[in-house]
């Protein structure tokens, strides 16, 4: 019996790496790894893909929004003087929604590069600095508002007492605070059915899930994982991608299924773009990376 136990244990021990590798490779295309697209920037952030798979991202220190072209693979400047845009989201009409913290605003940029301020305050006070956002199927916008002191600000302290998540309902002219009690909310993403919202509290190294009510309010907060994140995305299998030390992938139960190392000191954000939205685009320090996947994004 002892020998049989040893034999079974040995077999199980040998199988563990195989199972781990199989799980480890489940979301990534075979033999694929992060590939450098370009490192001609200062600090990349806010990647977002349009319906075709073109990817827009920000270089906030240089105050530009760039565009990666699906057909040519080339990167060009889409917009200069972008009001220090950070997180981006592209709506169904092709407008870019941007968290622009130069003047603590949420703005809309049309395909013709016309800019409109959607919101610039909460209850008459300047926002901390809108950072990341997600739009629901109704056209409502959730945004995180952490405070990061910027060198281009004259102010040296926030006007608001807390760092919250806000919701701008369709057609509304003012924000509603929908998530409080966070240290420093940052990354945010919602499920395509509009029923769940993930919010990363990078200041407390935690990510939470919330249920979304019909009116856009949030309830039923649950700890998703003990990890914060700068940015995040979802794939069509419900896996959640968190950033910081490379990209860490969790299934919808909060179990880690993969870690994607990125050869940079910090990984800021991720999105799915490219053909069939099956390429993961990663913004990290001064660079943009791409990674071919077996899964794809949840939009378009």
């Amino acid at each position: 019996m002892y020998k049989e136990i040893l034999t079974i244990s040995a077999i199980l021990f040998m199988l563990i790496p195989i199972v781990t590798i199989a799980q480890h490779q489940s979301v990534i295309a075979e033999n694929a790894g992060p590939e450098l697209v370009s490192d001609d920037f200062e600090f990349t952030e806010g990647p977002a893909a349009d319906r075709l798979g073109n990817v827009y991202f920000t270089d906030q220190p240089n105050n530009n929004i760039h565009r990666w072209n699906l057909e040519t693979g080339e990167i060009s400047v889409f917009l200069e003087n972008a009001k220090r845009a950070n997180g981006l989201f592209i709506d169904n009409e092709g407008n870019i929604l941007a968290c622009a913290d130069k003047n603590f605003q949420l703005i809309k940029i049309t395909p013709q590069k016309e800019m409109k301020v959607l919101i610039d305050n909460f209850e008459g006070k300047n926002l901390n600095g809108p950072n990341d956002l997600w739009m629901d199927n109704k056209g409502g916008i959730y945004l995180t508002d952490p405070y990061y002191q910027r060198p281009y600000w004259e102010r040296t302290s926030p006007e608001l007492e807390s760092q919250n998540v806000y919701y701008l309902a369709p057609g509304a002219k003012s924000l509603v605070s929908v998530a409080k009690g966070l240290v420093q909310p940052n990354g945010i993403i919602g499920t395509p059915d509009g029923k769940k919202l993930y919010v990363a509290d990078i200041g407390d190294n935690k990510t939470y899930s919330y249920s979304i009510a019909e009116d856009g309010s949030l309830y039923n907060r649950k700890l998703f994982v003990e990890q914060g994140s700068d940015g995040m995305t979802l794939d069509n299998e419900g896996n959640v991608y968190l950033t910081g030390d490379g990209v860490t992938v969790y299934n919808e139960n909060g179990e880690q299924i993969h870690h994607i190392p990125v050869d940079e000191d910090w990984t800021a954000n991720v999105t799915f773009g490219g053909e069939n939205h099956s390429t993961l685009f990663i913004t990290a320090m001064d660079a943009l990376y791409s990674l071919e996947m077996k899964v794809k994004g949840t939009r378009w």
Side-chain angles (χ1 to χ4, degrees):
M1 180 64 71
Y2 180 70
K3 290 183 178 180
E4 291 175 355
I5 293 173
L6 284 177
T7 302
I8 293 171
S9 299
I11 292 172
L12 290 173
F13 179 79
M14 289 186 292
L15 284 176
I16 288 173
I18 297 174
V19 173
T20 303
I21 290 171
Q23 189 181 53
H24 189 67
Q25 296 294 339
S26 61
V27 296
I28 297 178
E30 188 174 356
N31 299 321
E35 296 184 2
L36 178 65
V37 180
S38 176
D39 58 0
D40 291 333
F41 315 101
E42 191 167 342
F43 190 85
T44 56
E45 248 286 12
D50 65 16
R51 187 180 298 276
L52 296 175
N54 302 298
V55 176
Y56 296 77
F57 62 96
T58 61
D59 184 4
Q60 193 184 40
N62 288 319
N63 202 17
N64 294 328
I65 296 176
H66 295 269
R67 180 178 185 265
W68 174 84
N69 187 294
L70 168 65
E71 294 185 357
T72 66
E74 296 178 350
I75 295 174
S76 60
V77 175
F78 172 77
L79 182 67
E80 296 178 325
N81 300 316
K83 294 193 174 185
R84 301 287 181 175
N86 196 341
L88 306 178
F89 189 95
I90 300 176
D91 68 16
N92 293 335
E93 285 71 48
N95 301 303
I96 298 175
L97 306 176
C99 291
D101 73 16
K102 179 180 180 180
N103 297 307
F104 331 117
Q105 298 169 330
L106 173 67
I107 64 174
K108 179 171 74 173
I109 306 166
T110 70
Q112 293 74 37
K113 305 180 184 180
E114 299 171 347
M115 285 191 282
K116 177 183 178 180
V117 176
L118 299 180
I119 206 76
D120 62 359
N121 73 91
F122 176 66
E123 296 181 346
K125 295 182 179 181
N126 284 327
L127 293 166
N128 294 317
N131 188 279
D132 207 353
L133 75 162
W134 176 73
M135 175 181 276
D136 63 23
N137 295 330
K138 302 173 184 178
I141 302 169
Y142 293 88
L143 64 92
T144 58
D145 187 42
Y147 189 89
Y148 294 101
Q149 183 64 46
R150 303 300 192 187
Y152 41 83
W153 289 346
E154 292 185 4
R155 70 175 184 179
T156 56
S157 61
E159 293 184 25
L160 297 171
E161 295 180 356
S162 57
Q163 303 180 42
N164 301 332
V165 177
Y166 297 97
Y167 182 63
L168 182 65
K173 302 298 182 183
S174 59
L175 294 171
V176 175
S177 178
V178 290
K180 301 179 181 180
L182 301 165
V183 178
Q184 199 170 40
N186 200 312
I188 189 169
I189 193 75
T191 55
D193 61 7
K195 294 182 177 180
K196 184 183 290 187
L197 186 74
Y198 293 96
V199 177
D201 187 351
I202 197 170
D204 198 27
N205 199 35
K206 292 179 175 60
T207 296
Y208 297 97
S209 68
Y210 295 82
S211 297
I212 302 176
E214 187 65 25
D215 64 357
S217 61
L218 304 178
Y219 66 99
N220 192 30
R221 182 175 103 163
K222 294 181 179 179
L223 178 65
F224 178 62
V225 292
E226 292 271 2
Q227 180 185 334
S229 187
D230 197 343
M232 63 173 70
T233 195
L234 287 168
D235 67 26
N236 62 332
E237 293 184 353
N239 300 312
V240 182
Y241 295 64
L242 303 184
T243 63
D245 175 16
V247 181
T248 307
V249 187
Y250 294 91
N251 64 22
E252 56 189 355
N253 298 317
E255 301 164 336
Q256 182 177 331
I257 62 171
H258 197 83
H259 178 261
I260 303 167
V262 179
D263 190 22
E264 301 287 349
D265 292 338
W266 183 254
T267 298
N269 214 329
V270 283
T271 198
F272 282 90
E275 188 173 359
N276 299 318
H277 293 85
S278 60
T279 302
L280 188 68
F281 285 84
I282 305 167
T283 55
M285 300 303 290
D286 63 353
L288 177 71
Y289 290 84
S290 65
L291 175 61
E292 297 305 314
M293 306 292 287
K294 288 183 179 179
V295 293
K296 59 182 182 178
T298 57
R299 291 192 71 219
W300 313 118

